[in-house]
Amino acid sequence: MSNVSLVGPTLADFEAARFVVATVARVTPMESSRYLSELLGSPVHLKCENLQRTGSYKIRGAYNRLSRLTDEEKSHGVVAASAGNHAQGVAFAARELGIKATIFMPVGVALPKLQATRDYGADVILRGNTVAEPLLAAAAYAIETGAILIPPFDHPDVVTGQGTLGLEILDQVPGLDTVIVPIGGGGLISGVASALKQRAAREGRTIRVIGVQAENAAAYPPSLAAGVATEIVISPTIADGIAVAKPGLLNFQIVRDMVDEVVTVTEDDTARALLVLLERAKLVVEPAGAVAVAAILAGKISASGPTVAILSGGNIDPLLMQRVISHGLAASGRYLTLRIMLPDRPGQLARISELLAEAHANVIEVLHTRHGVGLQISEVELNVSVETRGPDHRQHVVDVLRSAGYDPQVD
């Protein structure tokens, strides 16, 4: 690979940044996964940046950027806008370097993320209901006060800091064949891909880099197809940490040149991945941090050698985790909600209970009402949620009810 046509940081930049970042960032564990290895047909390793300080890889880019500020710039302080991980990374880095930090966050930000950012010493200002409004407010604050705006992904120093993760991965899995990386704005994948590709070129070999986006916030596929960073309309997604409407300009150029493929995953794919990571790997990962594993589970990845899935963050609100686990159980066929119309006469609820017991389904919740929409005067509606052991058992429960003359509707 020739540096003449290279966009962004050089390998020397990444190697130099590694020493800087190492002063604050941990070398996070690399865990092997037998379950995912059997599924993919190649060895799968999990790079656990969910166990990084501040709970994500963001500390790498934030610290590298802040460490390169001049004394004059540091004296003015820094400002950033984020709903979570970038906020914590900037706040932590600023504290370590003795810089005043102001962070704009949306009003509805998860309480654990808000508290963590404040605990790292930043002044937090709540503004607006989406990340777009804090971004505008942070930019205006930078102009008014002279504070240095720290972007979440679209800056060479941020890209260089994130790329140190790629060099770390190579140390831990020397025979690496494929790396799977979550993508939002592109800071992580542009850094990791560039560092890996340049290092592999120097060693005379190749490494594949595959990016993963949430289907509801996938700006990179249309951008790559158009050949230019393109803004999209984002739909709601549980992977809010990678919900970015437009790729960073520098990040897009690097991804265009360095990344082999970008795939997308659904909300159900992501929920299943969180459940698998909890049950199989005993790892707590936020939805955005789990999309690399989601891509493996969804059959979107093909690999012929050692593969690393980056778990980019673990900052998940416990209330969201509760909902996502329930969604993951349903998506995995292990949680079933049924709507059953019953004749309004004694014994019907007991009969349904008997049938569910015969089918070995554990009842979680029951709602019995005469006021459902579309009910006849002589009918009642039963909504029952049960635990099942998987898709086959789920279907068995439905079949048992139908064979007894009922017409259960699956929610």
Side-chain angles (χ1 to χ4, degrees):
M1 180 180 299
S2 171
N3 285 346
V4 174
S5 60
L6 179 68
V7 175
T10 66
L11 183 56
D13 293 330
F14 289 116
E15 290 173 337
R18 190 172 185 185
F19 290 101
V20 174
V21 170
T23 61
V24 293
R26 296 189 179 114
V27 176
T28 50
M30 182 73 75
E31 300 287 344
S32 60
S33 172
R34 180 178 299 177
Y35 175 75
L36 293 174
S37 297
E38 291 175 353
L39 197 63
L40 187 63
S42 295
V44 175
H45 305 274
L46 304 174
K47 180 55 173 170
C48 301
E49 283 292 284
N50 58 309
L51 302 179
Q52 185 56 265
R53 298 176 83 172
T54 74
S56 87
Y57 72 93
K58 287 284 191 177
I59 182 62
R60 297 173 181 270
Y63 189 82
N64 190 59
R65 173 69 186 121
L66 267 64
S67 70
R68 294 178 63 83
L69 296 177
T70 66
D71 290 341
E72 172 67 19
E73 289 172 325
K74 290 176 181 178
S75 70
H76 292 289
V78 297
V79 62
S82 167
N85 291 343
H86 180 56
Q88 293 173 70
V90 171
F92 185 92
R95 186 187 71 180
E96 294 297 297
L97 292 166
I99 303 171
K100 181 182 183 296
T102 303
I103 310 292
F104 286 83
M105 305 182 84
V107 173
V109 65
L111 184 59
K113 295 180 179 181
L114 171 62
Q115 193 58 52
T117 304
R118 283 178 170 158
D119 287 346
Y120 291 136
D123 292 333
V124 177
I125 300 174
L126 299 179
R127 188 70 54 84
N129 296 309
T130 67
V131 178
E133 291 167 273
L135 282 169
L136 292 173
Y141 181 90
I143 294 171
E144 293 167 7
T145 66
I148 306 302
L149 183 64
I150 308 299
F153 46 82
D154 198 3
H155 192 284
D157 292 342
V158 174
V159 170
T160 306
Q162 317 303 27
T164 63
L165 179 57
L167 300 181
E168 197 171 294
I169 288 170
L170 271 177
D171 287 347
Q172 294 172 310
V173 187
L176 179 65
D177 176 79
T178 301
V179 179
I180 313 169
V181 191
I183 310 182
L188 178 62
I189 194 168
S190 58
V192 168
S194 186
L196 287 175
K197 295 280 186 172
Q198 291 185 65
R199 175 83 169 267
R202 188 175 73 182
E203 296 172 356
R205 64 191 185 101
T206 59
I207 295 174
R208 294 172 66 235
V209 179
I210 300 174
V212 186
Q213 291 208 282
E215 188 177 83
N216 289 354
Y220 267 90
S223 296
L224 292 168
V228 63
T230 303
E231 187 168 353
I232 64 164
V233 176
I234 295 175
S235 299
T237 174
I238 57 174
D240 59 342
I242 54 172
V244 178
K246 185 178 181 180
L249 298 181
L250 173 62
N251 312 113
F252 173 77
Q253 294 176 66
I254 297 174
V255 169
R256 179 195 60 200
D257 295 346
M258 299 283 193
V259 174
D260 297 277
E261 185 180 4
V262 176
V263 300
T264 62
V265 292
T266 67
E267 300 293 281
D268 282 354
D269 295 335
T270 303
R272 277 193 294 266
L274 259 71
L275 196 60
V276 165
L277 287 164
L278 277 171
E279 289 189 324
R280 300 281 183 163
K282 309 302 181 280
L283 291 168
V284 175
V285 182
E286 64 188 89
V291 295
V293 170
I296 295 174
L297 295 174
K300 300 290 184 74
I301 305 296
S302 60
S304 57
T307 298
V308 171
I310 296 177
L311 309 181
S312 57
N315 292 317
I316 182 169
D317 181 358
L319 294 176
L320 175 61
M321 177 182 283
Q322 185 179 34
R323 296 198 300 271
V324 171
I325 289 173
S326 297
H327 194 83
L329 287 168
S332 301
R334 292 165 53 193
Y335 189 85
L336 176 63
T337 298
L338 299 166
R339 180 171 179 261
I340 310 169
M341 300 301 186
L342 302 174
D344 188 9
R345 59 174 183 262
Q348 288 299 304
L349 183 57
R351 178 58 180 149
I352 294 294
S353 297
E354 290 174 3
L355 291 169
L356 292 173
E358 290 173 12
H360 303 291
N362 186 38
V363 176
I364 301 300
E365 187 176 25
V366 174
L367 173 63
H368 185 269
T369 180
R370 290 181 172 85
H371 307 298
V373 176
L375 283 175
Q376 302 297 319
I377 293 176
S378 59
E379 286 183 323
V380 295
E381 179 181 321
L382 177 68
N383 288 282
V384 57
S385 297
V386 299
E387 286 180 333
T388 54
R389 295 190 297 272
D392 292 342
H393 186 214
R394 177 188 173 106
Q395 187 59 49
H396 174 66
V397 172
V398 174
D399 291 343
V400 165
L401 291 169
R402 285 178 177 159
S403 65
Y406 296 99
D407 183 25
Q409 302 299 309
V410 177
D411 185 357

